[in-house]
Amino acid sequence: MSGLFTLGETLGLVAANGIGPLGHAQGFSFGIGGAESNVAIGVARLGGESTWLGRVGPDAAGTLIASRIAAMGVRTLAVTDEAFTGLMVRHRRSGEFTQVDYHRAGSAGSRLAPADLPAAELTGATILHVTGITPALSETARAAVFQAVETARAAGVTVSIDVNYRAKLWSRFDAGPVLRDLVARADIVFASPEEAALFVPADDAPAELAKLGPAEVIVKDGGRGCVALIEGVRLTRPALPVTVVDPVGAGDAFVAGYLADRLAGAPADARLTTAIAAGAFAVTVPGDCEGAPNRAELAALSGADVQR
């Protein structure tokens, strides 16, 4: 095995159609959503090899999650658990504000454990990617993330983390030390300025995050683009001007673009160009991962050389 290996919870997604209060929705769609599987799907769509590991329930939502991730070209290691598959309910209250309610406490995905980890596949990966979401789900899920990271590090596998702080899962006080510890063990880190401020001074987030150990630090800042410090070289990229249809999933698409290019051996500036284009494309289509772009679509959007 080679390519990207990631693990975490993917949820069933109930999304209200249209914009307005949930009670006035004219219909709903059902899909899937999870930061780690979003990245795995994004990498696969851009031509990379990717594997996702997670627990799902013995229910229709769990079956859908496993089949849909696999259908997107991702090697899928879905462990069936006796607990239910978690759900999220999302609606756009206005054109500028999206609300998401989670129903995941005690879910199958939250019961991820170190025993679920396939050591041989972890050590054979090129990149292990984790997020700050999974450690917030349960003690066993946190232990699984840290064990995956230590196993990968011992084997010389590159470790990537997206801080991805979720205030609905844990407090800043509880999250800060854990996320700092994870970042200190990573080779690549992605964070927003607000996420970085959980555990480093905010005056120069890329430099402060790099002091913890990662050689590649990428601070993603939405409509303002990104700032990176990669092997000591500072790089910036502005966001692409696009019409926003659905802002959810942009950060995951950005990460997928960067990691797909890294797997392909692209230089740092090209990785950021692809990441910016993938994030921009994601907001022009509805859904968390269904509209993940391929290389030709990114090239059409940005005019950049992203056809590796």
Side-chain angles (χ1 to χ4, degrees):
M1 177 192 161
S2 61
L4 179 86
F5 186 97
T6 190
L7 63 151
E9 181 175 33
T10 297
L11 304 159
L13 169 60
V14 180
N17 299 331
I19 299 175
L22 185 63
H24 292 183
Q26 297 300 305
F28 296 85
S29 61
F30 191 88
I32 67 171
E36 297 86 0
S37 56
N38 289 349
V39 171
I41 289 167
V43 167
R45 288 282 289 165
L46 292 172
E49 298 289 330
S50 62
T51 299
W52 170 83
L53 167 72
R55 287 199 183 203
V56 297
D59 45 39
T63 300
L64 175 67
I65 286 168
S67 63
R68 188 164 292 184
I69 294 175
M72 295 278 198
V74 176
R75 185 162 181 264
T76 303
L77 305 178
V79 179
T80 301
D81 189 280
E82 62 184 14
F84 65 94
T85 301
L87 295 175
M88 55 180 162
V89 179
R90 187 171 73 212
H91 72 283
R92 294 187 69 183
R93 180 63 181 83
S94 69
E96 302 295 326
F97 178 69
T98 299
Q99 181 174 332
V100 182
D101 299 317
Y102 295 94
H103 304 272
R104 70 196 314 178
S107 67
S110 72
R111 290 154 60 103
L112 189 72
D116 297 328
L117 299 174
E121 300 198 33
L122 259 176
T123 56
T126 306
I127 298 174
L128 167 69
H129 178 68
V130 299
T131 78
I133 297 172
T134 307
L137 298 179
S138 69
E139 291 297 327
T140 62
R142 185 178 307 178
V145 168
F146 276 90
Q147 181 167 314
V149 168
E150 289 308 310
T151 300
R153 280 164 52 92
V157 174
T158 297
V159 175
S160 164
I161 175 173
D162 187 349
V163 172
N164 237 332
Y165 171 65
R166 293 290 185 267
K168 289 186 177 182
L169 291 175
W170 53 352
S171 70
R172 297 171 63 90
F173 177 82
D174 290 332
V178 176
L179 296 173
R180 180 187 176 94
D181 196 3
L182 270 179
V183 167
R185 299 165 191 255
D187 302 292
I188 306 169
V189 60
F190 301 90
S192 69
E194 296 77 18
E195 289 168 341
L198 289 169
F199 49 88
V200 297
D203 53 343
D204 187 351
E208 295 296 336
L209 288 169
K211 288 178 184 178
L212 296 180
E216 301 174 33
V217 174
I218 304 95
V219 176
K220 26 178 196 168
D221 201 8
R224 288 175 288 278
C226 69
V227 180
L229 191 61
I230 300 175
E231 302 292 350
V233 178
R234 187 176 293 264
L235 300 166
T236 62
R237 285 290 184 280
L240 291 176
V242 294
T243 300
V244 177
V245 173
D246 183 354
V248 177
D252 298 332
F254 179 101
V255 171
Y258 184 92
L259 295 180
D261 263 21
R262 199 181 190 284
L263 287 169
D269 58 345
R271 293 176 225 157
L272 293 176
T273 296
T274 299
I276 285 288
F281 193 97
V283 304
T284 66
V285 295
D288 278 35
C289 57
E290 291 82 358
N294 59 33
R295 293 283 181 183
E297 290 167 335
L298 285 193
L301 173 70
S302 65
D305 180 16
V306 294
Q307 300 185 63
R308 272 172 287 284

